[in-house]
Structures are given as structure tokens and as C-alpha cells.
Amino acid sequence: MKKTLLITGGAGFIGSHVVRRFITRYPDYLIVNLDALTYAGNLENLRDVAGAPNYRFEKGDIRDQAFLKALFEKYAFEGVIHLAAESHVDRSISNPVAFVETNVMGTVNLLHAAAQAWKGQSEDKRFYHVSTDEVYGSLGEEGFFTETTPYDPRSPYSASKASSDHFVRAWHHTYDLPVVLSNCSNNYGPYHFPEKLIPLMIHNIRQQKALPVYGDGKYTRDWLWVEDHASAIDLIFHKGRNGETYNIGGNNEWKNIDLVEKLCDIMDELLGRTPGASRQLITFVKDRPGHDRRYAIDASKLRDELGWTPSINFDEGFRRTAQWYLDNTEWLEHVASGAYQQYYAEQYENNDER
Ligand code: NAD
Ligand code: DAU
């Protein structure tokens, strides 16, 4: 094997796309997926590639320093792509401490493990930290986040991610750890946990349940096809400059209400329902506390320096996503019921070394 890479959070939504991409594009890399399999982690997301010879799964927790030390000794990693996190803003409002423990302390533990393992021999190593546009706060009607926009996180989730970004930069400056960071906008696509806006709406439209839109529905997000995020991560991991940050975005802004209406129309078409039927399910509900009004990314640094652009437009991406959920109702039911944890036990019981 040419390189051994650690990918954290590889059983989650974005992580599973990154793991799949690296396993298939780089057969001479050994890909080690470390994941605690929280409610958001699901090995069914990787069922199609789990048997690949260049793949290993390690169940473990980034909050556990001793475990990380042993893992670095076991594999002698040359690179880390760090995605493991608590990722849902609403959960950060009801349970903020978990976000500090995983997103801040977990990241510090990983930085510490990498810096200790690579001490004095870090020239060809790389620690890639995957972060979010939410660290920049909230925009008004105009403007975009650039890499130099001052940090202004406003939810426990975004504050924990902002804090982790600062620690990554601190390890670069203090310990010479070779790092690269990216801050991305909202992703959508297959394997997205149905607590987030798009899969939740698809799930509810399918079941003809109410579609809960927060506040006035005019909050705006910039949506990116998840495989385009994975392609950007691949490019930045291999070609990004040491110590740099790259913004990643879809140049694809939608007000939530417009997005939900569009989803309703596409789902009506795919399900053969009367046009307009699903829109009747839209229900305005109590707003999210501290709800950020608008996010929008300026990804020109990534485009100009590394030549990255999104590969598909939203119409195509959404149709693919909606169709994927309709074709994978079993996945959706398992995730929603927690049955995937049983899948893990059956698949990996007495087989720790997989
Ligand atoms: P996700 O919630 O779907 O997946 C997170 C994964 O991390 C899960 O597999 C979970 O089991 C694992 N995990 C959680 N706590 C852990 C711990 N203590 N130890 C080990 N593993 C743990 O998240 P996602 O949406 O795929 O996001 C992945 C990363 O990308 C996060 O860092 C997130 O902040 C960032 N990000 C997400 C988006 C988005 O739109 N989803 C956009 C920009 C950045
Ligand atoms: O911007 C990147 C971030 O995008 C990531 O860092 C986060 O991990 C990811 O979860 C996402 O955060 P958001 O809060 O933007 O995503 P969410 O899907 O939770 O909500 C999108 C918008 O939809 C937001 O304005 C809140 C609104 N919403 C959400 C839900 C779940 C609703 O109106 N109703 C809902 O039921």
C-alpha cells in the first residue's frame, strides 16, 4: 500500500461518500474508517464497498485519547481526514455539551495523537479538518462568506466547529503540524440522515405527514451535491497548500420554503400524485432558537487555485436524491428505526479485525 489514511466519521453522511471515493479511486491506499457509530453512523452506508481489500473499519471514539494513541501505533497513518462530529444544529440546542465533547475535545485528541505520532517526521503527512460555513455566522440579503470573513458562530454546533478550527490552526503554528481546512455549505444527497431538512421532507412527503417549516421559511442555505463535496475534499487533500483554508459551496441558494415547494413538486411527479398535493402538507412551525438567516459561500479560491467546480446543478441533484430515497426505502426505515445497530452487531460480532 502506498499510503495509509485515517478517515474519521466515515459511517456518517458525508464521510461515507468520502470513504467510498477514496477506496475506489485509490486502490493503493489503505483506508481506515474510524467511527463511534452514534445514532448518525451507519455501516449500511458503506455496504457496497465494505469488502474492498484496501478498507478497514475501526469502531472507536475520538473522545478516547488512549484509543487514538493505540490506533496511530497500529497503523502508522500518513494522513488524516477528520469528519467525525456531532452535526445537527437542533440537537446542539437541546444537548450542547455533547458537541463540545466530540467536536472540540475529540478534535484536540486527534490533533494530539497525530502530532505525537508524527513528531519530527511530518513533512509528507497531512491532517485535513472538515468544517462548516456556519462558523462565519449569518449574512443579510447580500454578500458571501470568504476565507477571511471573521468568525461569528451563533449556535452551540457552530461554536464547537469554530473552536475546533482554531485548535487545528494552533497545532499548525505551535507544533508545525501540516494541516489543511475546508468550510463547506449545506450538503444533500444519498445517505443523509432524515433529521436534516431535505431527507426529513422527502420522508414525510412519502408518508403524507406534515412538512414542518421553521419560522417564516425565508431562511436561506447554499446547497451542494454531497459527491461534489467529496471531490473537493479529494482535491484539497492532495493539492491544497499547507496551512490553508478553502471554502466549498454550490453557488446554489434557496429559501427553505421555495426548496420545500420544489421538493413537493418533484416528489408528486415521481410518486404519480396530483400536482400540488404534497404542498398541502407544508406547516409553518415554531422557529429554531438563534436561527441563522442566510449562508452563502464564495468558493472562488478553490476554483481559481485548484480548478474545482460543482459537477451537477440542483435540479439534477435533487431528482437523483429523491429517486435514491424512493429506491432505498429499506435504508430509510432502518435508519429511522435504529435497526442498523442490529445490522452492525450481526455483521461484526466476534470479528473486531474486519
Ligand atoms: P453525520 O452526523 O452524518 O456523521 C457524523 C459521523 O461521525 C457519524 O458516522 C458518527 O457516528 C461519527 N461520530 C460522531 N461522534 C463521534 C465520536 N465521538 N467518535 C467517532 N465518531 C463519531 O455528519 P455529516 O453531515 O456527514 O458531517 C460530517 C462532517 O462534515 C462534520 O464535521 C460536519 O461538521 C461537516 N459538515 C457537514 C455539512 C453538512 O451539510 N452535512 C456541511 C459542512 C460541513
Ligand atoms: O451549512 C452547513 C451546515 O448545514 C452543516 O455544518 C450542518 O452539519 C448541517 O446540519 C447543516 O446545518 P443547517 O442547520 O443549515 O441544516 P438543517 O438541515 O438542519 O436545516 C436547513 C434549514 O432548514 C435551516 O434553515 C433550518 C430549516 N429547517 C430544518 C429542519 C430540520 C426547517 O425549516 N424545518 C426542519 O424540520
Side-chain angles (χ1 to χ4, degrees), residues 252-299:
N252 177 39
E253 287 184 53
W254 286 82
K255 287 193 170 54
N256 293 336
I257 185 63
D258 297 338
L259 176 70
V260 172
E261 286 180 353
K262 171 137 181 118
L263 297 187
C264 288
D265 296 348
I266 293 180
M267 289 291 286
D268 282 347
E269 193 188 313
L270 294 176
L271 290 165
R273 290 187 185 156
T274 313
S278 297
R279 286 190 184 211
Q280 304 302 319
L281 301 168
I282 293 173
T283 312
F284 289 92
V285 299
K286 195 164 142 286
D287 212 346
R288 171 186 282 174
H291 199 167
D292 287 337
R293 194 64 171 168
R294 175 174 166 256
Y295 305 142
I297 279 280
D298 175 347

Side-chain angles (χ1 to χ4, degrees), residues 108 111 126 136 183 288 304 340:
V108 170
L111 288 163
R126 170 146 279 191
Y136 300 122
N183 295 80
R288 171 186 282 174
D304 296 347
Y340 61 87

Side-chain angles (χ1 to χ4, degrees), residues 12-14 35-36 38 41 61-62 83 87 131 157 161 184-185 187:
F13 166 48
I14 302 169
D35 200 295
T38 68
D61 197 317
I62 57 169
L83 296 109
S87 68
S131 193
Y157 165 69
K161 291 297 291 187
C184 187
S185 64
N187 288 214

Side-chain angles (χ1 to χ4, degrees), residues 136-151:
Y136 300 122
S138 182
L139 292 163
E141 291 290 308
E142 308 262 296
F144 296 90
F145 297 133
T146 72
E147 288 80 0
T148 56
T149 300
Y151 274 33

